[in-house]
């Protein structure tokens, strides 16, 4: 896991986001309506990060330190704009779950939070099987509501846990997540 520092790495992340959005669309799954999501990965100020395996970008996200998302209580590591390489999600999500839990704990953040696009009640939404997989990995589904980009989401929370020995599996070169200004309204 490392911060995407070069233009080439950020370009690769933009291509991954666009591929993932096409993949989701072709399967009738929710896709962010926010048109500038790929552009967020071009912004070096956002400090996007990526999970690489043998030089291949498997996933990208923007880690943020949040004091209050408007849901859940207390500070957390918020994983914004998570995208995985199509058809490689299961193991990638497991690795990212382990990394995020450890990364947050090492920064004295008690929780990791994330949002997954959802259109319908969570038990019948097309992402219901994905949410069950996340639950099996230790994530708690904290209901649904309006997310940070104004779209309906499933709210996810994971307890931070330092995992000794994880560095043998996942190397980490991610910058300290920056504290984001709360300029959004969340219902």
């Amino acid at each position: 896991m490392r911060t995407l520092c070069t233009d080439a790495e950020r370009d690769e992340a933009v291509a991954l986001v666009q591929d993932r959005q096409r993949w989701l669309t072709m399967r009738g799954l929710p896709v962010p309506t926010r048109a500038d999501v790929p552009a967020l990965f071009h912004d070096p100020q956002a400090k996007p990060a990526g999970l690489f395996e043998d030089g291949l970008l498997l996933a990208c996200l923007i880690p943020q330190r949040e004091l209050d998302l408007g849901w859940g209580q207390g500070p957390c590591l918020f994983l914004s704009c998570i995208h995985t390489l199509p058809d490689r999600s299961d193991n990638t999500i497991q690795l990212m779950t382990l990394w995020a839990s450890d990364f947050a704990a090492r920064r004295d953040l008690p929780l990791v939070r994330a949002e997954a696009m959802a259109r319908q009640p969570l038990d019948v939404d097309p992402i219901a099987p994905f949410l069950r997989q996340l639950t099996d990995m230790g994530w708690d589904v904290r209901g649904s509501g309006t997310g940070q980009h104004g779209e309906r989401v499933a709210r996810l929370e994971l307890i931070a846990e330092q995992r000794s020995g994880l560095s043998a599996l996942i190397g980490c070169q991610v910058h300290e997540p920056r504290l984001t200004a709360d300029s959004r309204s969340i219902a």
Side-chain angles (χ1 to χ4, degrees), residues 56-131:
L56 177 65
L57 180 62
L58 299 178
C60 56
L61 60 100
I62 299 173
Q64 300 169 335
R65 179 183 290 265
E66 290 286 350
L67 297 178
D68 181 16
L69 283 173
W71 62 269
Q73 298 213 338
C76 69
L77 172 65
F78 181 67
L79 305 180
S80 179
C81 301
I82 301 170
H83 289 82
T84 59
L85 190 63
D87 298 321
R88 302 266 317 248
S89 292
D90 293 347
N91 291 335
T92 301
I93 296 296
Q94 287 177 322
L95 290 173
M96 289 179 65
T97 295
L98 292 170
W99 169 80
S101 175
D102 180 72
F103 188 75
R106 291 179 188 277
R107 277 136 190 89
D108 295 322
L109 294 169
L111 298 166
V112 179
R113 293 193 179 108
E115 298 173 340
M117 299 290 301
R119 286 186 250 174
Q120 302 170 16
L122 298 180
D123 58 337
V124 296
D125 194 280
I127 69 162
F130 175 66
L131 295 177

Side-chain angles (χ1 to χ4, degrees), residues 109-160:
L109 294 169
L111 298 166
V112 179
R113 293 193 179 108
E115 298 173 340
M117 299 290 301
R119 286 186 250 174
Q120 302 170 16
L122 298 180
D123 58 337
V124 296
D125 194 280
I127 69 162
F130 175 66
L131 295 177
R132 285 191 292 277
Q133 285 179 318
L134 290 175
T135 300
D136 291 345
M137 292 179 206
W139 289 88
D140 290 321
V141 178
R142 296 293 186 193
S144 62
T146 303
Q148 74 165 353
H149 299 297
E151 298 172 315
R152 186 166 160 32
V153 298
R155 296 170 172 170
L156 304 163
E157 191 171 82
L158 176 70
I159 294 174

